[in-house]
Amino acid sequence: MKKIWNNDLNKEYLEKEVTVYGWVSRLRNLGGVIFVDLKDRSGLVQLVFRPDTKVYEKAETLKNEYCLKVTGQVALREKANPNLATGEIEINVLKLDILSKSRELPFEIKDDTNALEDTRLKYRYLDLRRNYLQTKLITRHKIMMAIRNFLDKEDFVEVETPILCKSTPEGARDYLVPSRINKGAFYALPQSPQLFKQLLMVGGMEKYFQIARCFRDEDLRADRQPEFTQVDLEMSFVNEDDVMALTEKLVAYIFKTVKNIDLKLPLMKMTYNEAMAKYGSDKPDLRFAIPIIDLEYLFKDTNIEFMKNNLAQGKIINGLILKNKAAKYSRKEIDKLTEFVKNYQVGGLAYLKYEDELTGSISKLLTDEEKNSIIKSLELEKNDLVFIVSDNYKQTKEALGALRLKLAKENDLINKDDYKLLWVTDFPAFEWSEEEQRFTAMHHPFTSPKDEDIDKLLNDKANCYSKAYDIVINGYEAGGGSIRIHDEEVQEKMFAALELTEEDIKEKFGFFVEALKYGTPPHGGLALGLDRLTMLLTNTDNIRDVIAFPKTASASDLMSNCPSQVDKKQLVDLGLKID
Ligand code: ASP
């Protein structure tokens, strides 16, 4: 077994004979001495093969990515390489074992590769030899270790829950597994261990966690994978504040252990309604300012036709101020932003520039008095730019929320090393689904409504709020959870509110409602997205960077060619027929 990591070699080893293992990362044969950078998981060390040694001839046959065992004497380098941890020393090789050769590589293995991602995914095992990916997987491991250590000390028990589960409606589409023994029946892969963790609370475990794999058969967005990992928690005898306090201590512990970053606790809390009003998002990025501001009061006596009409119809007028950038935005640039906000179903984008005077799309329609009042009320300074949207509440907020992010990115207002965390609380219990023309659960059907809203479950869903909370990091939902319903009557009411038929409830959730009848403790929990957390802590936007063997956006594994056809016999065994 290997005794020493490459990166541990330093001047303390001078003159000593060492044996190292690894892969040929870079070869320089200058027609005399042959230099090889030998790479292992820890880093690089320079090997030197001199023409007067027995190993020289063999060294001449070396190629990139050959796997070697090397014995040699540590020596001081003539010229140190300050960019390398082992840069002061090299190894004069006395013995060389080629453990395994490598054929011609499909792409060059180096950190700043420009090989196509598809090629790298096909040869993922070669891609994984890059330090870039290895450090990310190591950070992921450290995060998992920190989680286990922290939660163990807090008396949590790690419990595994089934992968072959019952298919339940609501949420995303299930991955199904046909049953051979019960032909025509199916298991589903878990979208999350939600029901099981609640049943563990009924089972008296009190504090549970699991680093759980979850499966959702959705059309994949860039940052999604069909299977992903959640840090899943559940606790009995807790309220919202208890779960949030425990979770933020856990997150702070992870940040400290993995990145040596001290988070300031308690984290800030913001209600869902406040987040939507101020940032147009339930996961606001607070690394930069630019809040959304209400502007109706400035236009209440306006002659601007569309605004007048909009106000009469109960629509809103909101805006954003971009400080000191008016000169940067030409008409053409602003046209591009107009097209951008229209994707959010708003009528358009008005703007005002404050240079020597107030100019911009609606300036001609403003009286001098109105102009002065705008400059004064918004405390505009020279070169400020105001963007204005007027439409329905939700669309206006979402459009400005997206514009806010775009402007911050375009103007480099985000400090990439900054971490801004907060809780978003008091989510609506339901959201209206245009597609289904009915209210669906905003989180999941087991989320407890606020005590004062239980009576609204059936007749005032739009104003019914829940005991749900999300932890947001740098504009991403890093996790979310809720206090659960532990009363069978409330749970049944919730199912009814979601328009599940008696039959559905019995068939899909009967076992669960039954469990609630046997002394269920009040409980709640949350799940953190491990992939997202790792992405945030390793500064990557690519989810595939933090998963050893990821799938593509079309949910396939290019390395093993999966999903794939199966033998006819397998189908027959399962009683399946493919058209
Ligand atoms: N099971 C939930 C989810 O997957 C998280 C929770 O409520 O604990 O989003």
Side-chain angles (χ1 to χ4, degrees):
M1 184 159 105
K2 193 172 147 149
K3 292 269 177 340
I4 197 163
W5 291 103
N6 286 350
N7 235 35
D8 291 342
L9 291 168
N10 55 31
K11 284 203 290 194
E12 279 170 35
Y13 287 85
L14 279 181
E15 311 296 328
K16 294 207 173 108
E17 200 172 290
V18 293
T19 297
V20 289
Y21 295 73
W23 291 263
V24 174
S25 167
R26 201 157 75 99
L27 260 171
R28 277 149 298 150
N29 185 345
L30 307 173
V33 181
I34 297 173
F35 294 100
V36 168
D37 283 345
L38 188 77
K39 154 184 81 181
D40 73 0
R41 203 181 80 197
S42 70
L44 298 173
V45 66
Q46 177 161 284
L47 308 178
V48 186
F49 297 89
R50 301 190 190 276
D52 53 356
T53 56
K54 276 194 280 187
V55 288
Y56 188 79
E57 216 170 289
K58 211 194 242 177
E60 282 185 308
T61 69
L62 290 179
K63 297 225 172 75
N64 275 345
E65 300 304 322
Y66 275 28
C67 182
L68 311 181
K69 174 185 177 189
V70 171
T71 302
Q73 201 174 38
V74 178
L76 212 56
R77 277 204 206 190
E78 243 173 59
K79 204 165 152 249
N81 177 353
N83 300 324
L84 216 57
T86 60
E88 286 186 314
I89 56 109
E90 59 193 11
I91 299 175
N92 284 316
V93 181
L94 304 167
K95 199 162 168 266
L96 167 65
D97 284 335
I98 297 177
L99 299 176
S100 175
K101 291 183 180 175
S102 167
R103 56 162 76 186
E104 186 97 28
L105 295 161
F107 63 92
E108 193 185 348
I109 299 175
K110 56 175 189 176
D111 271 351
D112 52 346
T113 176
N114 49 19
L116 289 179
E117 194 177 20
D118 278 5
T119 313
R120 291 192 285 109
L121 288 173
K122 177 158 185 228
Y123 298 94
R124 185 63 165 178
Y125 41 85
L126 294 180
D127 205 19
L128 284 171
R129 283 197 198 153
R130 292 191 304 136
N131 183 264
Y132 176 87
L133 286 181
Q134 291 189 347
T135 51
K136 290 189 169 40
L137 291 185
I138 291 166
T139 302
R140 187 180 174 113
H141 154 79
K142 285 191 177 144
I143 295 172
M144 290 198 282
M145 290 301 287
I147 290 165
R148 291 197 158 102
N149 290 336
F150 177 89
L151 291 174
D152 177 53
K153 284 208 186 77
E154 294 280 341
D155 292 336
F156 280 73
V157 180
E158 183 167 12
V159 183
E160 290 160 284
T161 53
I163 292 293
L164 295 176
C165 303
K166 183 178 176 68
S167 176
T168 49
E170 288 289 326
R173 196 178 294 110
D174 282 332
Y175 273 102
L176 295 176
V177 180
S179 162
R180 179 182 58 82
I181 295 170
N182 306 287
K183 286 213 174 55
F186 292 82
Y187 304 96
L189 305 183
Q191 294 186 23
S192 84
Q194 184 63 35
L195 288 176
F196 290 109
K197 69 174 171 176
Q198 291 193 238
L199 291 167
L200 285 168
M201 295 304 107
V202 183
M205 289 308 293
E206 295 199 26
K207 290 181 173 192
Y208 141 96
F209 87 100
Q210 181 179 193
I211 299 184
R213 198 64 67 83
C214 306
F215 306 84
R216 296 183 190 173
D217 187 3
E218 291 174 303
D219 290 335
L220 301 177
R221 283 193 248 130
D223 63 346
R224 293 264 175 94
Q225 285 277 304
E227 50 183 302
F228 56 96
T229 308
Q230 280 188 348
V231 181
D232 200 40
L233 304 172
E234 198 72 10
M235 292 162 253
S236 293
F237 313 115
V238 287
N239 60 27
E240 289 137 284
D241 286 339
D242 296 324
V243 181
M244 286 189 269
L246 179 283
T247 306
E248 64 186 37
K249 258 170 72 185
L250 165 63
V251 172
Y253 183 76
I254 297 169
F255 270 67
K256 184 69 188 167
T257 320
V258 175
K259 291 277 266 196
N260 201 21
I261 291 174
D262 289 298
L263 293 182
K264 211 169 143 273
L265 299 184
L267 298 180
M268 167 184 181
K269 290 192 178 94
M270 191 184 286
T271 65
Y272 169 88
N273 283 343
E274 191 186 343
M276 289 307 292
K278 243 175 135 176
Y279 301 102
S281 165
D282 59 0
K283 37 184 182 292
D285 191 339
L286 300 187
R287 285 173 299 172
F288 59 96
I290 323 187
I292 298 173
I293 42 181
D294 293 336
L295 299 176
E296 292 84 8
Y297 70 102
L298 291 172
F299 295 97
K300 58 182 187 310
D301 302 318
T302 185
N303 285 322
I304 303 174
E305 209 55 35
F306 79 91
M307 288 190 175
K308 222 156 75 179
N309 290 340
N310 282 353
L311 287 177
Q313 289 172 42
K315 295 182 175 175
I316 61 169
I317 306 174
N318 274 197
L320 297 174
I321 303 173
L322 186 62
K323 300 296 289 176
N324 201 22
K325 296 281 181 219
K328 186 181 160 187
Y329 282 85
S330 64
R331 186 59 205 275
K332 214 166 121 205
E333 296 294 321
I334 293 178
D335 284 349
K336 276 194 217 148
L337 296 179
T338 308
E339 285 313 305
F340 173 78
V341 296
K342 282 186 178 165
N343 293 328
Y344 295 85
Q345 275 79 52
V346 293
L349 182 68
Y351 71 97
L352 289 169
K353 279 182 173 182
Y354 185 40
E355 285 165 312
D356 292 327
E357 50 175 342
L358 209 54
T359 59
S361 64
I362 53 168
S363 63
K364 290 202 184 66
L365 306 169
L366 297 171
T367 63
D368 284 347
E369 204 181 314
E370 281 173 322
K371 283 186 188 168
N372 287 336
S373 144
I374 290 174
I375 295 168
K376 209 160 142 237
S377 309
L378 301 182
E379 295 174 11
L380 295 185
E381 294 170 305
K382 294 280 161 81
N383 205 22
D384 285 353
L385 180 54
V386 186
F387 291 104
I388 303 168
V389 172
S390 174
D391 214 304
N392 291 320
Y393 185 89
K394 186 163 178 271
Q395 284 76 3
T396 302
K397 293 291 184 189
E398 285 177 357
L400 285 169
L403 182 63
R404 174 182 176 269
L405 273 180
K406 188 173 170 63
L407 293 174
K409 281 186 194 142
E410 269 181 17
N411 292 286
D412 243 343
L413 302 179
I414 303 175
N415 174 358
K416 293 264 183 313
D417 297 323
D418 205 2
Y419 289 99
K420 279 283 187 310
L421 293 87
L422 77 150
W423 286 104
V424 175
T425 63
D426 298 8
F427 279 80
F430 303 99
E431 62 188 340
W432 178 252
S433 161
E434 276 303 326
E435 198 186 317
E436 296 177 46
Q437 287 294 304
R438 67 177 182 102
F439 280 101
T440 57
M442 191 143 187
H443 271 77
H444 48 62
F446 317 104
T447 299
S448 169
K450 292 267 179 197
D451 296 336
E452 61 276 21
D453 291 344
I454 291 179
D455 291 339
K456 297 184 190 155
L457 276 177
L458 294 176
N459 47 33
D460 190 11
K461 288 180 202 155
N463 289 307
C464 189
Y465 289 86
S466 65
K467 296 182 185 174
Y469 32 76
D470 276 359
I471 185 165
V472 176
I473 308 180
N474 293 356
Y476 289 105
E477 180 197 325
S482 59
I483 297 301
R484 325 299 183 186
I485 299 168
H486 72 281
D487 178 305
E488 55 165 311
E489 274 172 36
V490 181
Q491 186 64 70
E492 276 176 359
K493 221 170 171 180
M494 174 59 87
F495 286 143
L498 294 169
E499 295 173 33
L500 292 176
T501 61
E502 283 293 324
E503 234 165 58
D504 258 350
I505 300 171
K506 218 162 145 211
E507 152 65 19
K508 309 285 183 192
F509 298 114
F511 69 102
F512 185 71
V513 178
E514 171 76 9
L516 295 181
K517 296 183 207 279
Y518 298 91
T520 300
H523 61 284
L526 147 148
L528 293 171
L530 181 69
D531 307 295
R532 168 64 59 197
L533 197 59
T534 312
M535 287 164 72
L536 283 162
L537 291 176
T538 57
N539 295 323
T540 175
D541 288 328
N542 185 348
I543 191 169
R544 294 178 295 282
D545 281 353
V546 297
I547 296 175
F549 297 102
K551 301 209 169 35
T552 63
S554 48
S556 41
D557 170 9
L558 299 178
M559 183 181 65
S560 66
N561 258 332
C562 141
S564 58
Q565 312 278 316
V566 293
D567 284 347
K568 265 231 166 68
K569 161 122 189 5
Q570 287 174 288
L571 291 178
V572 171
D573 282 351
L574 292 168
L576 292 180
K577 226 166 99 190
I578 309 281
D579 287 337

